[in-house]
Amino acid sequence: MSATEPRIAPTSASRLARLGPVAALLAAITAARLIALFFSGLDLHPDEAQYWSWSRALDWGYFSKPPMVGWIIAGAGAVCGSAEACIRAPVSLLHMATALAIYGIGRRLYDMRVGAVAALAFITLPGVAFSANVVSTDPPLMTFWALGLYALVRLQHAPARPLAWWVVLGGAVGFGLMSKYAMLFFVIGLAFLLVFDGVCRRRLLAGRQGWVGLALALAIAAVIYAPNLLWNMAQGFVTFAHTGSNANLRGSLFHPLELAEFLLSQFGVFGPILFAALVWIVLRPRAWWGDGRTRLLAAFVLPMLLTITVLALLSRANANWAAPVYIGASIWVAAVLVPLATRWLRWSFIINGAVAVALLVMPVAASGPGVYAGLRLPAGADPFASYHGWRQFGGAVAALSAGLPGVPLLSDDRKVIAALLYYAHPPMGNIHAWHPGPKVDDHFKLTRPLSPRAGGDVLFISRFPEHAHIRDRFASATEIAALEAPGSLGRGHPIRVIHLRGFLGYKAARP
C-alpha cells in the first residue's frame, strides 16, 4: 500500500484491543515512576522551585518561559499539595500521554508493531527517564507536539479530513507555544511539508475544506497564544529577549568543542544505538525521500535537529533543546529497525532499559550528592548532583531569619531566591531581588525587586564573594553566618548571610 493511499480504519473494538497491552505496559512504567517520586531523596532544583513559585502567582507569562508549566504545577497542587513528589508527578503522566500519541502515529503510518516499539522506545529513552524525576517545560511541549503530529497524520490519511482534527491541530500548536517557544519548529515542519511535499499538500489542502481547516487551525493557535503575546508586549517582550539571549550569538561564532559536546549528549538523551541509527538513516536520503511517511517524520525531526546542531557550533546548545525531535525520531527509527535490525533494536532496549531502571532507583537510594545506597559515584558521574542540599540550605536560612522577625530576605542570585521561596518558607512578599536597574535579567528582578526607597533592614544572602557594592548601600553590615553551598553552586565559596541595616538607596553609598 502506498503511503499516501487512505487506509481502511479498524473498528473501535479492534483499536482498543490492540492498544490495551501497550497502554498497560506504559501505565505500569508510569506507575513505577510515580511511586518512586514519593520515596525520592532529591530536593527541588532552583529551576523547579522557580516554576513552583509561578504556580503561586498565576499569570499569562513569566520572564523566561510561557506559563504552561506554572499552570500544570498549580493544577497538581490543587490535587495533592506542594510536596516535591506532587510538583513532579504531572511529568510522568505527560510522558505517558506522549507515548500513547506516538503509538497512534506509528500504528497509522505503519502498523501496530512499529507503533508499539516506538512508544516503548520513547518512554524508556534515557532523556525521558531522567526527565521523569524532575519538572521542566519540555514534557508539556512534547505532549502537545505529539498530539499535533497525531492530528496531522489523521488529517493526511482521512478521506474527508474532518474539521475536528484541524481543531485539535490548532489547539496543540497553541498550547505547545504556551509551553515553550520551541513549538515554532513544529510550525516550521508543517510549512516545509506544505511547500516541498506536493503529495502531502494535496492530501491536506484539496478543495475548499482543506484551506478552511488550515485557516481554522492557525486561528485557534493564535487565539490560544495571544494572551502570552499581550503579556510580553506589556513587559517589554522580556521572554522573547531572554529566549534570544540563550542563543548567545555574540563574539566568536565557531565552537567545535560545544558542537562535539552537544552531539555526544544526544547519544545519551536518545540512547547510543537509537541515535546512531537516526544519523545513519538521515544520511541516506535516497532511501527515505520517496516515502511520504518518512518525509512527514523528517519534517518534524530535521529542521529542529539541524538548527540546534548549527547553534551548538556557533555558540552552545543544551542537551534537552532538541527534545521534541525524538517524538518523530522514535517512530522513524522503529520503522526502519523493526523489519531490518531486530537484534540492534533488542540491544537498544536492553541498554536504554537498564539506564531507565537506574534513573528510577537512584533518587530513591540517594543519601547525598554522589552517594546512592551507600556507594559513592566517581566525581562528575552523578546526574542528580544539582538536586541535593537545597532543603538543608533553606532550613538554615529560615532558622537565621527567625531570629530577626519582620526583616525581609534579599539576594542577588535567582537560584538562591527560588530555593528560599520553597525551602525557607518566607511570606511571599518578604523576599526580594537586588535590582539597581535598568536591565531585567531574571524573573525575580521583574516581579520582586527591592524597593529603591531608602530605609529598612534586610537579611542578605549571597554566594558571590564580591558584594561590597551591595553592602556599601547600607548604613551598617553584620555577617551572621557562612553556610555550606549546595554542590551545584560551587562548594568553594560559602553562602554569606549578612544583616544589612539602613538602606541608603541604590545610588547612594556610605563613605
Side-chain angles (χ1 to χ4, degrees):
M1 178 182 289
S2 168
T4 58
E5 292 176 7
R7 293 170 175 264
I8 299 175
T11 65
S12 297
S14 173
R15 285 197 297 267
L16 288 175
R18 295 175 181 182
L19 175 61
V22 177
L25 188 51
L26 296 177
I29 294 171
T30 301
R33 288 173 173 170
L34 291 172
I35 293 170
L37 283 180
F38 285 88
F39 295 95
S40 173
L42 304 182
D43 297 339
L44 286 190
H45 186 277
D47 287 345
E48 296 179 284
Q50 178 175 272
Y51 299 149
W52 169 81
S53 75
W54 294 357
S55 75
R56 312 290 285 183
L58 295 179
D59 207 337
W60 291 110
Y62 301 96
F63 174 82
S64 58
K65 298 290 190 299
M68 183 61 68
V69 67
W71 296 355
I72 289 172
I73 295 172
V79 173
C80 61
S82 295
E84 292 95 331
C86 189
I87 291 170
R88 292 164 169 163
V91 172
S92 292
L93 299 175
L94 288 168
H95 285 324
M96 179 179 171
T98 302
L100 288 170
I102 287 173
Y103 168 79
I105 297 165
R107 185 178 65 80
R108 286 187 173 275
L109 288 180
Y110 296 95
D111 55 39
M112 182 182 66
R113 189 179 179 197
V114 169
V117 168
L120 295 175
F122 172 82
I123 208 165
T124 56
L125 293 182
V128 171
F130 177 86
S131 170
N133 292 288
V134 301
V135 64
S136 71
T137 54
D138 287 323
L141 165 69
M142 296 169 76
T143 299
F144 290 120
W145 184 294
L147 179 61
L149 188 54
Y150 179 73
L152 188 61
V153 169
R154 292 294 300 259
L155 286 165
Q156 190 175 4
H157 289 89
R161 293 180 298 283
L163 286 179
W165 286 110
W166 285 111
V167 172
V168 173
L169 177 62
V173 171
F175 286 119
L177 288 171
M178 293 294 269
S179 302
K180 199 171 182 179
Y181 294 152
M183 191 69 186
L184 283 171
F185 281 103
F186 185 97
V187 180
I188 292 171
L190 178 58
F192 266 66
L193 276 180
L194 295 179
V195 172
F196 297 110
D197 191 332
V199 174
C200 178
R201 182 172 61 251
R202 287 189 294 273
R203 290 287 301 155
L204 290 175
L205 302 180
R208 180 173 176 270
Q209 186 176 2
W211 287 101
V212 170
L214 178 62
L216 177 63
L218 293 175
I220 290 171
V223 168
I224 292 172
Y225 173 66
N228 180 252
L229 177 62
L230 295 173
W231 181 91
N232 264 284
M233 292 172 63
Q235 302 295 336
F237 295 100
V238 291
T239 316
F240 293 175
H242 172 77
T243 303
S245 69
N246 277 342
N248 197 30
L249 295 175
R250 297 179 181 178
S252 171
L253 295 179
F254 184 68
H255 299 85
L257 292 180
E258 292 285 348
L259 173 62
E261 182 179 343
F262 172 73
L263 292 176
L264 286 174
S265 73
Q266 299 314 294
F267 283 95
V269 171
F270 199 41
I273 292 177
L274 294 184
F275 189 69
L278 177 63
V279 173
W280 177 74
I281 292 167
V282 167
L283 293 179
R284 299 170 66 247
R286 289 184 180 180
W288 56 263
W289 181 253
D291 189 331
R293 298 169 297 183
T294 49
R295 289 198 305 272
L296 171 71
L297 296 173
F300 295 94
V301 169
L302 296 185
M304 188 175 198
L305 183 59
L306 294 177
T307 299
I308 296 177
T309 301
V310 171
L311 182 61
L313 176 63
L314 298 179
S315 172
R316 65 181 181 88
N318 292 341
N320 68 305
W321 286 4
V325 161
Y326 298 116
I327 295 167
S330 295
I331 305 164
W332 197 356
V333 171
V336 172
L337 295 186
V338 163
L340 298 179
T342 54
R343 182 166 64 92
W344 285 110
L345 194 59
R346 189 180 308 117
W347 274 108
S348 175
F349 274 115
I350 291 172
I351 294 170
N352 286 6
V355 173
V357 170
L359 292 171
L360 175 72
V361 172
M362 286 176 68
V364 178
S367 55
V371 181
Y372 297 90
L375 300 176
R376 182 170 293 278
L377 299 179
D382 183 6
F384 300 109
S386 58
Y387 295 83
H388 295 281
W390 299 104
R391 178 186 298 274
Q392 181 181 359
F393 165 63
V397 172
L400 294 172
S401 179
L404 296 169
V407 176
L409 304 179
L410 172 69
S411 184
D412 54 350
D413 187 334
R414 174 188 68 87
K415 290 185 176 181
V416 167
I417 295 174
L420 292 179
L421 276 169
Y422 187 78
Y423 283 116
H425 309 293
M428 291 299 282
N430 212 36
I431 182 169
H432 305 288
W434 178 258
H435 179 44
K439 183 180 178 181
V440 175
D441 54 14
D442 71 53
H443 173 73
F444 299 117
K445 289 180 180 178
L446 178 68
T447 59
R448 50 177 69 247
L450 180 67
S451 169
R453 294 192 300 271
D457 298 356
V458 297
L459 191 62
F460 176 56
I461 302 101
S462 179
R463 66 183 172 105
F464 301 116
E466 297 296 331
H467 47 255
H469 63 291
I470 297 177
R471 295 175 64 142
D472 289 348
R473 265 62 184 177
F474 290 80
S476 66
T478 303
E479 184 165 324
I480 295 176
L483 304 176
E484 182 179 2
S488 61
L489 293 185
R491 294 186 178 277
H493 300 289
I495 296 180
R496 306 287 178 179
V497 182
I498 305 168
H499 186 193
L500 300 176
R501 300 178 183 87
F503 183 45
L504 304 174
Y506 284 116
K507 295 184 178 180
R510 58 186 166 89

